[in-house]
Amino acid sequence: PRGVRYVQQHNQGSACARNVGVSLANGKYIAFLDADDFWLPNKINLQLQLFRSSPSLALVRGDQIFWDQDRSFENVREFSKQKWDSDSRKQVVFENIVGNPSMVMVKRSALQMAGMFDPKIRFGDDWDMWIRISEIGDIGFVQEPIAVYRWHKNSISQHYQKECLASYRK
């Protein structure tokens, strides 16, 4: 497709992959799409509308459809019930109220101010970034599903979750 550039590199983790993508992108806004997930057709337009209506926003996310393929289970996770205020800025430190990168669109300027994703963080590099971005600007929430988060036995999220839990047992 026009405007899409395919880049291949040795697997160095999600933070490195996102950093390469951000460094090669040239738009005002950056959106992420992890390999197992997919966007709903209205995602980009809904997020851009929210950015245009609220200049203080640094990041916009929306609700997601969580799809557990192994159990044939699907439900909507409503992040949009979250209202952004000074308490939310504190809450994002304790709970990832932003969620998966596939649901996110962020201003390039906010990413530049926050710095790059930290490749030393194997699990939660995205959450670390959302905390840093929350210190720069506000976070907006689209009040409907904008992407599908797929969960299955071979997903990277499951692998990292097991790796993270195993590290606590050592």
Side-chain angles (χ1 to χ4, degrees), residues 111-126:
L111 274 172
Q112 290 169 331
M113 290 172 64
M116 297 303 253
F117 288 89
D118 187 344
K120 292 179 280 184
I121 301 175
R122 292 273 302 154
F123 185 74
D125 59 288
D126 52 341

Side-chain angles (χ1 to χ4, degrees), residues 5-12 20 24:
R5 183 170 157 190
Y6 178 79
V7 177
Q8 186 174 4
Q9 67 179 25
H10 175 73
N11 185 357
Q12 301 168 57
V20 168
L24 295 173

Side-chain angles (χ1 to χ4, degrees), residues 19 22 32 59 106 110-118 121 124-136 139:
N19 288 341
V22 169
F32 305 96
L59 181 151
V106 62
L111 274 172
Q112 290 169 331
M113 290 172 64
M116 297 303 253
F117 288 89
D118 187 344
I121 301 175
D125 59 288
D126 52 341
W127 187 4
D128 171 67
M129 178 59 77
W130 311 154
I131 292 168
R132 289 186 276 141
I133 287 175
S134 75
E135 295 168 355
I136 292 164
I139 294 176

